[in-house]
Amino acid sequence: MNVYAYIAQRCDDDIAPQQLAEITLCATPAELRGMAEFLSVCASEMERLGGDYSHVHLSDRAPGFSGSPQIVVAAPDQD
């Protein structure tokens, strides 16, 4: 697993995300449960779609996250 991020003040299209060593989630129990459900669904879709799975945004799938920072689940490289 790798974790990547864009700095909030610099989301230009020509800037690549940076690999992170650690993430911290400051979230309510309800938000954490919503993210957990989202991640479980992503895992099932990834298994079902195999190499056709690309990526999914939490804000597109879970109500209440549209104003949150983007959380994206992407398939790992299959090298």
Side-chain angles (χ1 to χ4, degrees):
M1 177 173 79
N2 293 308
V3 180
Y4 299 91
Y6 291 99
I7 298 171
Q9 293 80 15
R10 303 217 36 212
C11 284
D12 302 327
D13 289 338
D14 60 336
I15 297 174
Q18 300 297 305
Q19 188 169 0
L20 304 178
E22 177 180 309
I23 61 170
T24 301
L25 298 174
C26 296
T28 66
E31 289 169 327
L32 292 172
R33 287 185 184 95
M35 285 185 271
E37 182 177 336
F38 166 74
L39 292 172
S40 180
V41 168
C42 288
S44 295
E45 285 182 8
M46 194 178 290
E47 288 174 332
R48 183 173 48 82
L49 295 174
D52 290 333
Y53 185 92
S54 175
H55 72 282
V56 179
H57 294 249
L58 172 66
S59 62
D60 291 341
R61 295 281 183 92
F65 286 96
S66 61
S68 299
Q70 289 292 314
I71 296 176
V72 181
V73 173
D77 290 334
Q78 301 295 322
D79 295 336

